[in-house]
């Protein structure tokens, strides 16, 4: 296999499936099966999930709520999603550990880097909840930060689209997909892969990113086996 240790970033919205809000059980079960498949291959899997299906700090701030308060609420939303995924993974027979950037001893372990790495070495899927634990940072940044800390080989950003396009494919029919693209090109063309904080963190730490469609069955497995799936951002 191509990647031994991966950090999988899932958006909160992707957990909604076809629902307007919350968590879709079938979607969760599909994700758990896909993750189980790669964990069974011996791939060490760490996961960061967003919280946008439950609460969005930025939108709440636009509506007049205090930004910091909104961001903390968003972090709690990621813990709810993490617990849901943990539950479905365990139902599928996958050993998991959930660590939170904000202490919630009754629910999960606190984030301790060394412990997380030990869990991974024992082939436990580790889910990191509560983002970075700080307001003003996205879960993409949390994913990147954790990936660097645990020395993951790659950040896999699971999305609704199957990669990075020359323009927004939902608006521009002539847009074409990149198989690979350099960090510099993403900057110079003003393409959106992750927010700038997350993206720059990847670049400065030489951490490749793959943007791919997580909803297509088998994609995650193909990816870790080294097949060209989605778009690879490299150097
Ligand atoms: P090893 O030390 O490698 O055996 O890892 P382990 O996770 O099995 O050991 P530990 O005894 O630390 O954890 C046993 C269980 O308790 C696991 O399910 C952990 O997720 C859980 N656990 C550990 N620390 C905490 C905590 O602070 N809060 C909560 N809620 N659970 C915890």
């Amino acid at each position: 296999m191509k990647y031994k240790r991966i950090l999988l970033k899932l958006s909160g919205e992707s957990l909604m499936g076809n629902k307007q809000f919350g968590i879709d059980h079938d979607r969760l079960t599909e994700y758990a099966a896909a993750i189980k498949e790669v964990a069974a291959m011996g791939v060490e899997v760490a996961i960061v999930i967003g919280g946008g299906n439950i609460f969005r700090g930025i939108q709440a701030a636009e509506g007049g709520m205090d930004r910091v308060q909104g961001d903390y609420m968003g972090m709690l939303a990621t813990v709810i999603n993490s617990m849901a995924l943990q539950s479905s993974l365990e139902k599928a027979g996958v050993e998991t550990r959930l660590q939170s950037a904000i202490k919630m001893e009754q629910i999960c372990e606190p984030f301790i880097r060394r412990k997380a790495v030990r869990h991974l070495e024992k082939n436990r899927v580790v889910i990191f909840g509560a983002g970075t634990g700080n307001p003003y940072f996205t879960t993409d940044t949390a994913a990147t930060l954790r990936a660097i800390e645990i020395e993951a080989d790659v950040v896999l950003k699971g999305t609704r689209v199957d990669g990075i396009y020359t323009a927004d494919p939902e608006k521009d029919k002539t847009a074409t997909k990149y198989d690979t693209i350099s960090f510099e090109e993403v900057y110079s063309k003003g393409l959106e892969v992750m927010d700038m904080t997350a993206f720059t963190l990847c670049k400065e730490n030489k951490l490749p990113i793959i943007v791919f469609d997580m909803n297509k069955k088998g994609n995650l497995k193909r990816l870790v086996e080294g097949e060209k799936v989605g778009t690879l951002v490299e150097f």
Side-chain angles (χ1 to χ4, degrees):
M1 72 191 91
K2 181 159 183 199
Y3 300 111
K4 175 75 183 126
R5 182 175 292 170
I6 60 172
L7 187 304
L8 175 65
K9 161 74 206 308
L10 300 171
S11 73
E13 285 88 347
S14 67
L15 295 189
M16 290 193 292
N18 296 321
K19 293 167 63 168
Q20 296 300 310
F21 175 84
I23 299 169
D24 179 60
H25 180 73
D26 293 341
R27 174 58 59 78
L28 206 55
T29 308
E30 281 164 28
Y31 282 1
I35 294 161
K36 179 180 180 168
E37 201 169 33
V38 292
M41 290 160 60
V43 177
E44 297 174 3
V45 187
I47 303 172
V48 168
I49 317 177
N53 54 324
I54 298 169
F55 190 84
R56 286 198 146 274
I58 288 194
Q59 266 168 24
E62 282 162 3
M65 184 183 278
D66 179 70
R67 169 72 196 265
V68 173
Q69 186 84 341
D71 279 353
Y72 278 117
M73 291 169 76
M75 288 180 234
L76 296 183
T78 72
V79 177
I80 293 176
N81 285 337
S82 299
M83 290 170 71
L85 184 64
Q86 176 175 43
S87 208
S88 56
L89 280 166
E90 287 188 340
K91 207 164 171 208
V94 182
E95 235 197 301
T96 65
R97 293 291 184 268
L98 171 58
Q99 294 197 342
S100 170
I102 296 174
K103 269 198 201 164
M104 302 185 202
E105 290 96 331
Q106 288 82 353
I107 294 171
C108 51
E109 299 178 21
F111 170 66
I112 299 170
R113 184 187 146 264
R114 283 171 178 274
K115 228 171 152 29
V117 170
R118 273 306 278 145
H119 290 324
L120 290 169
E121 286 167 355
K122 291 179 181 171
N123 203 223
R124 295 165 179 157
V125 171
V126 179
I127 307 169
F128 296 118
T132 66
N134 298 293
Y136 295 102
F137 291 96
T138 62
T139 44
D140 275 356
T141 301
T144 301
L145 176 64
R146 294 295 181 242
I148 295 163
E149 288 182 279
I150 62 167
E151 298 179 350
D153 302 319
V154 65
V155 178
L156 305 177
K157 184 171 157 121
T159 61
R160 289 183 295 143
V161 284
D162 61 348
I164 302 168
Y165 282 75
T166 50
D168 184 345
E170 283 170 6
K171 290 180 191 145
D172 184 347
K173 292 278 169 265
T174 65
T176 54
K177 187 174 79 108
Y178 293 100
D179 285 335
T180 61
I181 186 168
S182 69
F183 279 88
E184 287 309 331
E185 248 184 302
V186 171
Y187 282 122
S188 66
K189 297 204 161 99
L191 299 171
E192 266 196 34
V193 177
M194 288 179 172
D195 64 275
M196 273 303 150
T197 311
F199 190 73
T200 304
L201 207 52
C202 284
K203 178 174 182 276
E204 288 181 345
N205 292 279
K206 302 214 165 1
L207 179 68
I209 306 165
I210 296 176
V211 178
F212 76 108
D213 182 359
M214 178 69 186
N215 297 338
K216 191 161 171 220
K217 212 165 172 262
N219 257 359
L220 185 63
K221 179 166 182 271
R222 282 199 286 279
L223 241 172
V224 298
E225 282 175 338
E227 255 186 65
K228 279 201 167 64
V229 173
T231 301
L232 168 67
V233 186
E234 55 171 15
F235 300 93

